[in-house]
């Protein structure tokens, strides 16, 4: 179970009685949080910080515990912040500053100096806020009474993002083949990816995967085919082509487990020893939270795995997509997004059909793929690009819509969406920002999730949505 450590600040200036109150209030808050976040994460209270030594010990404990996704801090009383410097230097996990109080309302009739000295987060949290700012420590502030719904929702968001960052810091990404020849945006600095996000991005020879593919047994393929038949509609009689994809999925599963890999990238230009480009295999794996990037796009692969983790337990759908083509009917512009095969099955609004059809590029046999219409609802489209000296994330608000008419001859799964605030500003903004043609689309996440992820990882963020104007485009173009 993931753990969120709760560290409360005070000092010994007000005596033992005061510290007993602090400990009791902190314990009650911890109990309440555990009731609220049951099944999501465990909130663990650490000893009250009353000097530098307790702070160092608390933060070391949080840093060393593999189950700890982050730390939540709150100053019950005034807690002189020099006591926090060396402890905070030990912590490299997501940090939440909860600016709250044990009491909601002021006891106007009975308030005295003792009450005020005990309940002075307005004072103590400002002292603490200063040292976080002074030390340039990335963190999130959530302000308000801790039992209020809005505050709980923001803590919950922090838990989700902290869990995703923890997942990210343990993520291994495998590349079969390099980036597609001549393509710029799928490339990137893998050393920087590891420094900033923790991704261990490494190359694996396709031949090693082919060896695993060739060793898959008929029995293993039969079992995978049973799964396909139970989940999907078999819209083909070319069963051997589908079995080939089942073989790939079984082999990829073995490879991922053997190498503890959570995201992978392949390319249609490097399929030596394989009969088809992985289609259903990749689509089904994405449906189980495995990151995938085509054309060697390791960044989108890793980012999709991280965002699928962030969306865990929420309603909605998350996965990789590629910008493809538009309907430019004036005032009703829509985008049709898809890929040559590999659209995540999580986007399916209709029962996916297994089809075997030719693929225009790659020079391999006709691959089996899942074909379906996409889900609807408000969502975001997120892209990560390497700007040379830093990573940039572009996050656009979109509305996924029902496709206006059937597309019976389109042999791939697809989603359709509307840009915000409109087509011209939304897509021009994306172009000015340098957003890729590969992205992660989600109806489970919103802009605030991405903002928090970027804040805590120190990633530049450009947002596009209903608040984006022509004047913003001017600023973007002059960046
Ligand atoms: Mn592509």
């Amino acid at each position: 179970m993931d753990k969120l450590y709760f560290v409360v600040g005070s000092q010994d200036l007000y005596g033992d009685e005061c510290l007993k109150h602090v400990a009791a209030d902190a314990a009650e808050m911890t109990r309440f949080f555990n009731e609220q976040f049951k099944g999501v994460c465990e909130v663990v209270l650490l000893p009250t910080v009353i000097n530098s030594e307790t702070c160092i010990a608390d933060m070391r404990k949080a840093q060393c515990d593999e189950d700890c996704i982050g730390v939540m801090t709150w100053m019950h009383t005034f807690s002189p912040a020099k006591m926090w410097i060396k402890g905070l230097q030990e912590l490299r996990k997501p940090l939440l500053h909860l600016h709250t109080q044990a009491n909601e309302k002021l006891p106007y009739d009975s308030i005295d100096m003792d009450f005020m000295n005990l309940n002075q987060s307005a004072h103590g949290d400002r002292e603490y806020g200063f040292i976080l700012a002074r030390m340039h420590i990335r963190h999130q502030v959530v302000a308000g009474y801790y039992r209020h719904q809005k505050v709980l929702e923001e803590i919950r968001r922090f838990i989700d993002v902290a869990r995703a960052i923890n997942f990210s810091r343990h993520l291994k990404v495998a590349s079969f083949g390099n980036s597609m020849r001549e393509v710029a945006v799928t490339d990137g600095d893998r050393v920087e990816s590891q420094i900033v996000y923790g991704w261990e991005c490494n190359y694996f020879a396709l031949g090693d995967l082919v060896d695993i593919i060739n060793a898959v047994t008929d029995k293993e393929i039969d079992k995978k085919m049973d799964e396909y038949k139970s989940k999907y509609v078999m819209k083909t009689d070319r069963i051997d082509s589908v079995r080939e994809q089942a073989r790939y999925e079984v082999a990829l599963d073995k490879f991922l487990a053997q190498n503890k890999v959570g995201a992978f990238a392949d390319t249609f230009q490097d399929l030596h020893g394989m009969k088809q480009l992985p289609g259903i295999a990749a689509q089904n794996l994405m449906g189980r939270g495995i990151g995938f990037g085509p054309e060697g796009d390791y960044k989108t692969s890793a980012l999709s795995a991280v965002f699928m983790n962030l969306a865990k337990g929420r309603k909605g759908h998350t996965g990789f997509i590629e910008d493809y083509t538009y309907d430019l009917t004036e005032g009703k512009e829509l985008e049709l997004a898809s890929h040559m095969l590999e659209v995540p099955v999580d986007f399916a609004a209709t029962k996916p059909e297994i089809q075997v059809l030719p693929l225009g590029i790659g020079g391999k046999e006709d691959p089996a793929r899942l074909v379906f219409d996409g889900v609807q609802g408000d969502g975001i489209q997120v892209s990560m690009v390497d700007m040379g000296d830093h990573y940039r994330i572009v996050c656009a608000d979109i509305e996924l819509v029902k496709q206006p008419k059937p597309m019976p001859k389109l042999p791939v799964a697809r989603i359709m969406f509307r840009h915000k605030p409109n087509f011209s500003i939304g897509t021009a903004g994306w172009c000015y920002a340098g957003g890729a043609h590969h992205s992660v689309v989600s109806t489970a996440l919103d802009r605030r999730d991405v903002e928090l992820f970027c804040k805590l990882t120190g990633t530049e963020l450009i947002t596009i949505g209903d608040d984006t104007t022509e004047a913003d485009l001017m600023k973007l173009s002059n960046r």
Side-chain angles (χ1 to χ4, degrees):
M1 174 67 100
D2 292 329
K3 289 186 210 159
L4 177 68
Y5 277 123
F6 187 27
V7 182
V8 176
S10 187
Q11 59 170 317
D12 54 13
L13 196 67
Y14 306 113
D16 281 350
E17 200 55 35
C18 175
L19 284 173
K20 271 185 205 162
H21 274 290
V22 169
D25 287 341
E28 167 53 22
M29 285 167 75
T30 304
R31 187 203 60 75
F32 175 77
F33 287 138
N34 277 315
E35 192 180 276
Q36 294 296 316
F37 304 129
K38 199 174 176 185
V40 177
C41 100
E42 184 192 352
V43 179
V44 180
L45 181 63
L46 292 183
T48 307
V49 169
I50 54 167
N51 52 40
S52 193
E53 288 74 17
T54 39
C55 188
I56 291 168
D58 283 358
M59 296 306 177
R60 276 188 185 159
K61 186 161 190 215
Q63 186 59 40
C64 291
D65 184 347
E66 274 294 312
D67 293 331
C68 171
I69 55 167
V71 174
M72 175 164 68
T73 47
W74 165 55
M75 304 305 118
H76 194 314
T77 75
F78 188 67
S79 183
K82 286 183 188 172
M83 298 185 331
W84 288 78
I85 293 173
K86 288 193 274 184
L88 288 167
Q89 283 171 332
E90 300 280 324
L91 186 71
R92 295 178 302 282
K93 290 188 178 178
L95 178 64
L96 171 66
H97 177 193
L98 179 61
H99 184 41
T100 191
Q101 280 186 172
N103 56 302
E104 182 186 25
K105 297 179 194 329
L106 271 184
Y108 289 97
D109 294 338
S110 62
I111 185 167
D112 57 10
M113 210 58 209
D114 284 345
F115 180 92
M116 210 149 71
N117 279 333
L118 175 63
N119 299 286
Q120 52 170 317
S121 53
H123 182 182
D125 274 334
R126 281 173 165 77
E127 165 77 357
Y128 176 66
F130 163 73
I131 206 66
L132 293 175
R134 170 72 176 73
M135 293 172 72
H136 303 286
I137 292 172
R138 292 182 197 121
H139 64 288
Q140 171 77 335
V141 180
V142 173
Y145 184 53
Y146 74 96
R147 287 174 183 256
H148 289 170
Q149 204 51 45
K150 195 170 165 289
V151 170
L152 290 168
E153 282 167 15
E154 287 311 306
I155 298 173
R156 174 62 201 271
R157 186 191 305 283
F158 175 84
I159 290 168
D160 288 345
V161 174
R163 183 190 62 237
I165 289 174
N166 187 51
F167 171 85
S168 179
R169 296 213 62 86
H170 290 84
L171 182 62
K172 294 186 198 301
V173 187
S175 290
F176 298 111
N178 207 326
S179 286
M180 179 182 163
R181 286 189 280 278
E182 310 291 357
V183 176
V185 81
T186 50
D187 226 322
D189 180 343
R190 288 158 213 254
V191 174
E192 185 72 4
S193 298
Q194 186 161 346
I195 293 169
V196 179
Y197 307 106
W199 303 340
E200 295 175 34
C201 302
N202 286 300
Y203 172 84
F204 288 83
L206 188 70
D208 292 340
L209 178 64
V210 169
D211 284 347
I212 305 175
I213 289 171
N214 290 338
V216 172
T217 65
D218 282 344
K219 212 175 153 193
E220 288 170 312
I221 297 172
D222 290 344
K223 201 175 157 210
K224 186 51 76 180
M225 287 296 287
D226 288 343
E227 180 194 328
Y228 290 169
K229 281 177 207 153
S230 72
K231 283 157 68 174
Y232 310 128
V233 181
M234 193 68 71
K235 254 308 203 21
T236 180
D237 51 12
R238 298 168 67 180
I239 301 301
D240 283 350
S241 296
V242 185
R243 287 183 69 86
E244 187 68 12
Q245 290 286 333
R247 179 191 293 279
Y248 296 165
E249 187 177 341
V250 171
L252 276 162
D253 252 337
K254 287 182 183 174
F255 169 85
L256 298 174
Q258 277 166 18
N259 296 285
K260 299 186 172 65
V261 164
F264 72 102
D266 64 14
T267 168
F268 67 92
Q269 288 174 330
D270 188 353
L271 296 173
H272 196 80
M274 293 175 75
K275 291 179 184 164
Q276 303 176 16
L277 175 67
I280 301 176
Q283 293 178 285
N284 215 36
L285 282 163
M286 286 188 270
R288 291 191 272 126
I290 301 297
F292 172 76
E295 291 108 54
D297 189 349
Y298 79 96
K299 294 196 300 297
T300 303
S301 177
L303 192 69
S304 66
V306 170
F307 280 9
M308 281 188 276
N309 181 285
L310 211 171
K312 249 186 195 171
R314 297 194 193 180
K315 279 189 196 137
H317 310 270
T318 304
F320 153 78
I321 204 73
E322 173 171 280
D323 302 278
Y324 237 118
T325 189
Y326 295 128
D327 176 346
L328 290 181
T329 305
E330 198 167 13
K332 295 178 181 170
E333 291 89 347
L334 291 177
E335 172 164 342
L336 173 60
S338 181
H339 206 258
M340 59 175 88
L341 294 177
E342 314 92 329
V343 178
V345 69
D346 195 32
F347 286 143
T350 52
K351 192 166 185 182
E353 292 178 351
I354 299 177
Q355 300 185 12
V356 178
L357 296 155
L359 185 67
I361 52 178
K364 291 282 171 175
E365 289 179 8
D366 300 351
R369 81 288 305 271
L370 299 171
V371 181
F372 51 81
D373 294 346
V375 293
Q376 300 165 44
D378 281 325
I380 52 170
Q381 182 181 21
V382 189
S383 171
M384 174 184 275
V385 290
D386 183 350
M387 300 305 289
D389 56 358
H390 68 281
Y391 279 109
R392 169 181 289 175
I393 284 182
V394 185
C395 176
D397 296 333
I398 56 172
E399 183 194 358
L400 282 76
V401 298
K402 188 174 160 61
Q403 64 187 53
K405 289 179 181 176
M407 293 179 255
K409 295 200 167 169
L410 187 68
V412 283
R414 76 297 301 238
I415 57 174
M416 289 193 80
F417 54 84
R418 184 175 290 125
H419 301 87
K420 293 182 180 180
N422 54 48
F423 179 81
S424 60
I425 292 180
T427 57
W430 189 273
C431 290
Y432 280 129
H437 55 270
H438 285 173
S439 61
V440 181
V441 159
S442 178
T443 58
L445 308 176
D446 63 33
R447 183 195 290 190
R448 288 168 299 172
D449 296 305
V450 180
E451 283 172 343
L452 184 51
F453 177 81
C454 289
K455 190 190 285 186
L456 295 176
T457 56
T459 307
E460 183 195 14
L461 173 66
I462 292 172
T463 58
I464 301 165
D466 280 333
D467 54 346
T468 307
T469 62
E470 295 277 359
D472 293 327
L473 294 188
M474 197 65 190
K475 281 181 230 157
L476 266 180
S477 68
N478 287 329
R479 259 175 119 95

